[in-house]
Structures are given as C-alpha cells and as structure tokens.
Amino acid sequence: MASPYILSPNTDSELDKILVDHHQRILVLVFTTAWCKNCKRLSTAIEEMAEDLSKIATFVHVDVDELLQTVKRYNVTTTPTFALFRGHVLQTSITAALLPKQPTHEESDDQLLGWVSYTVKSFAQHWNASYSKITDHLAFSPTPTEYQIKEGLTKVGFKSVIGMESKQNPGEYPAREGELWKSAGIEFVSYPIKSADEIGLNDFDEILQLVETLPGPILIHSDIGQVAAIMVFVMVAKQNSRKGSEVAGWARELGFDFEGLGKLTQTIRAWVDK
C-alpha cells in the first residue's frame, strides 16, 4: 500500500520499533498478501480510511509473506486481518469472517471497513494510551518496561499491581519488577498464566479474591495484555452482577473482542453466572 498515512515495515524488528514508538496512539495493523484478491479490492478504501482516521490512529501494512514472526505471534490465519493495538495491547482482531455474511462483495467490504472505523473511534473515546482503565478500581495493560514503571505507572495512582506474565516467555518482564513497585509504595503480586488457553475457573476465583482484598486502584498486566484484559472484564462483570452471556457483547462495545477464545468463552459464562 502506497500511502503517506500507512507505514510499511520490511522486517519484524522494524514493526516492533513502530509498536514502541507509537505506543501512545491507536495502531491498526493491516495484514495482507500480494495474492489476496480481497486485499487488492480493498486497498484504496483502506488508504482512504487511514487518511480519514490519521488524527487518532496510525495504520501499518504487514505483508504476511515477509513478517513471519509477527504473523505467528498474533495468530493471523486469514487476509485481510485488521489487528488493533492501544498502549502495546492487542485489543482485537477483525476479519470479514467474524461479521454477518453479506450478499455482495460491496456490502461485505462496507461492513468490514465500517466496523474497523467504528472500533478505532471507540478506542479513541474510551482507552488510555499506556493502560486501559475499565472502572475506577481496575485497569489492564501489557507488560510494562522498567522505564514505564518508573516514569509513568507509579505516578498515576495505582495502589496494587497483579503481574500475570508467563515466566517461560518473559519478554520485557523486568526481573526487578516487584522491587520497582514496592519502592513506590505499591503492592505487587505475581500470578503467572502462560496464555488465555490456560485460564480456568480456579484462576478466576483466585484473581477475584486478590481484587477484593488488595487496595485499589489495581493494575493487572500480562505479556501482550490479552490475559489481563480478560481478567479485568470478567472481574468487573462478576462484581456488577452481569450475566455471563453479556460479557462478550459488553467488552466488544468497548473495543475488546472475545471472539476466538474457544472453550474459554464457555468458562467465562459459567464462572460469571455461578
């Protein structure tokens, strides 16, 4: 895509740098391939949308045949895929397959791009750049760097932090994280979960106990933010007596998509309703 409003990294490391440099903006990663007919048909409309939304979002073109590590990291299996980030957090991925089937290509294209545009605008309205605050008591984020902890997150009022990073794949997880939080007078609890697939009913029980006993506001963070986001939405739903069947729709209204969670979706419903 040739547009001044769309960045086009040539390597995975270049994309990683973009994610860091633009962490205070909404990022829309557009995954396409040269042989994708739908991508070609949508290319002009995507360029126009990138220009229209340039004040609130940065669009990034990702060639799935070139940035293989990125494709694997975010489990991209179809093109075009629109992956939306805020504050390093992968908030949601949008594809045509997730939306109701339309009778024509034109109607399907309009629906897909309309949903992307709506979600970006929703992010701009509801989400903080470095962390996502759902209530006055609970927020989530991806794993913060040591710099982000020292220079930002210790200064915004959090009283407690729950870190859910997998110790098998620590990424930017700082070995001194507990010390950094505690030196600022903030309680820190480590509760590692490898991935969303590993979340069980017992995990929800234990996190609820922490949420109800730790002083707030509480920040929950995880590797790319997905596990932390799930926990925060589920905890808030439970505390506000929402029905389990309502959680996914409510989260989607705020721009976080629970699609693709498989059996975990049923686990969430069962736990919230019990």
Side-chain angles (χ1 to χ4, degrees):
M1 295 180 183
S3 167
Y5 299 97
I6 300 178
L7 303 178
S8 297
N10 295 312
T11 65
D12 294 291
S13 60
E14 286 184 13
L15 176 58
D16 290 341
K17 187 176 186 304
I18 288 172
L19 290 173
V20 172
D21 292 345
H22 294 260
H23 71 277
Q24 294 190 12
R25 286 177 59 82
I26 300 166
L27 284 176
V28 182
L29 272 55
V30 186
F31 291 85
T32 71
T33 65
W35 41 265
C36 168
K37 293 182 180 179
N38 292 339
C39 302
K40 291 180 179 178
R41 189 178 67 249
L42 286 167
S43 61
T44 299
I46 292 172
E47 291 173 0
E48 292 174 351
M49 181 167 59
E51 181 177 0
D52 291 341
L53 298 175
S54 61
K55 290 184 178 180
I56 59 174
T58 297
F59 278 64
V60 183
H61 174 230
V62 180
D63 188 326
V64 301
D65 293 323
E66 298 293 333
L67 277 64
L68 301 180
Q69 293 180 14
T70 299
V71 170
K72 183 178 180 180
R73 182 190 308 167
Y74 299 118
N75 194 31
V76 176
T77 59
T78 186
T79 56
T81 289
F82 298 84
L84 279 64
F85 289 73
R86 189 68 194 261
H88 301 300
V89 182
L90 173 59
Q91 307 282 359
T92 187
S93 292
I94 300 172
T95 69
L98 298 176
L99 302 174
K101 188 174 180 60
Q102 299 297 318
T104 67
H105 285 310
E106 290 76 12
E107 290 174 287
S108 179
D109 293 349
D110 288 344
Q111 177 181 240
L112 175 61
L113 297 182
W115 185 247
V116 173
S117 178
Y118 167 81
T119 306
V120 168
K121 292 175 182 177
S122 177
F123 285 173
Q125 181 179 357
H126 294 291
W127 302 74
N128 182 277
S130 59
Y131 59 91
S132 300
K133 191 173 184 180
I134 304 304
T135 69
D136 289 338
H137 189 69
L138 282 175
F140 69 86
S141 79
T143 304
T145 63
E146 185 167 340
Y147 176 83
Q148 288 172 323
I149 293 173
K150 287 182 175 179
E151 301 301 323
L153 291 172
T154 56
K155 302 176 181 179
V156 293
F158 291 117
K159 300 298 183 183
S160 304
V161 174
I162 302 172
M164 308 191 75
E165 286 69 27
S166 165
K167 298 303 184 290
Q168 295 179 345
N169 182 26
E172 293 183 324
Y173 186 91
R176 294 179 52 245
E177 180 176 15
E179 296 176 15
L180 293 171
W181 292 115
K182 290 174 183 177
S183 67
I186 298 170
E187 291 196 39
F188 175 74
V189 177
S190 177
Y191 191 100
I193 290 181
K194 187 176 181 180
S195 67
D197 295 337
E198 292 190 351
I199 299 174
L201 293 172
N202 184 61
D203 295 310
F204 288 132
D205 288 336
E206 294 193 21
I207 295 300
L208 179 61
Q209 184 176 4
L210 288 172
V211 166
E212 291 182 338
T213 56
L214 289 171
I218 300 171
L219 173 68
I220 301 178
H221 66 69
S222 62
D223 294 319
I224 62 171
Q226 184 188 43
V227 170
I230 291 168
M231 282 297 175
V232 168
F233 276 109
V234 171
M235 294 303 111
V236 174
K238 184 74 168 180
Q239 292 178 321
N240 288 274
S241 301
R242 286 182 177 267
K243 294 180 180 178
S245 59
E246 298 174 347
V247 177
W250 167 58
R252 191 167 187 174
E253 288 177 4
L254 293 177
F256 185 85
D257 201 338
F258 274 23
E259 295 290 343
L261 295 182
K263 293 181 180 179
L264 179 57
T265 301
Q266 299 303 318
T267 302
I268 290 171
R269 291 182 179 181
W271 186 81
V272 172
D273 287 338
K274 75 173 185 176

